């Protein structure tokens, strides 16, 4: 089941619609097996420390970064920190399901402009 990490620990309706059994937390899951870890990135500031902690907690599971203000620069930083996917935090449930399918099969999910870079 997907695990979502947000500052307030609340799951959004679009995430819940995509993954009804998903859980959400405000703390990086420690010692817990997850099948994927979805992290809502802060709008400002350094993301590398947060993603490094999440990458370690996720183990072999895919790590997906969500952003409410996605940008190519933030996406490149997230990729450099080991994420398998980077998408808008407000994406439609069907898109989130496509992201999950892609990364669970070993692929990488990126936005169109980032992919062209």
């Amino acid at each position: 089941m997907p695990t979502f990490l947000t500052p307030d620990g609340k799951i959004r309706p679009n995430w819940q619609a995509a993954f009804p059994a998903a859980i959400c937390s405000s703390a990086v899951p420690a010692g817990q097996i997850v099948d994927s870890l979805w992290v809502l990135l802060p709008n400002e500031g350094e993301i590398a420390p947060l993603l490094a902690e999440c990458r370690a907690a996720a183990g072999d599971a895919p790590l997906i970064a969500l952003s409410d203000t996605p940008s190519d620069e933030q996406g490149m930083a997230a990729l450099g920190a080991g994420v398998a996917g980077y998408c808008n935090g407000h994406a439609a449930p069907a898109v989130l399901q496509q992201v999950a399918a892609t990364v669970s099969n070993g692929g990488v999910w990126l936005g169109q402009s980032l992919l062209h870079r």
Side-chain angles (χ1 to χ4, degrees):
M1 109 179 67
T3 300
F4 287 85
L5 179 65
T6 66
D8 63 6
K10 294 181 182 175
I11 195 161
R12 292 185 176 172
N14 59 320
W15 305 345
Q16 190 76 60
F19 311 106
I23 59 171
C24 193
S25 175
S26 62
V28 175
Q32 175 180 344
I33 296 174
V34 298
D35 67 358
S36 61
L37 182 57
W38 300 67
V39 181
L40 181 61
L41 299 176
N43 290 333
E44 297 179 5
E46 182 64 34
I47 62 170
L50 170 62
L51 290 175
E53 184 180 4
C54 291
R55 176 71 269 149
D60 293 334
L63 176 62
I64 300 105
L66 299 162
S67 179
D68 287 341
T69 56
S71 69
D72 287 354
E73 293 73 26
Q74 187 184 54
M76 293 295 287
L79 284 172
V83 303
Y86 176 75
C87 71
N88 193 310
H90 298 288
V95 172
L96 297 173
Q97 291 168 341
Q98 289 177 331
V99 172
T102 298
V103 301
S104 69
N105 287 312
V108 175
W109 184 276
L110 304 171
Q112 194 72 8
S113 66
L114 191 55
L115 186 61
H116 286 125
R117 289 181 101 184

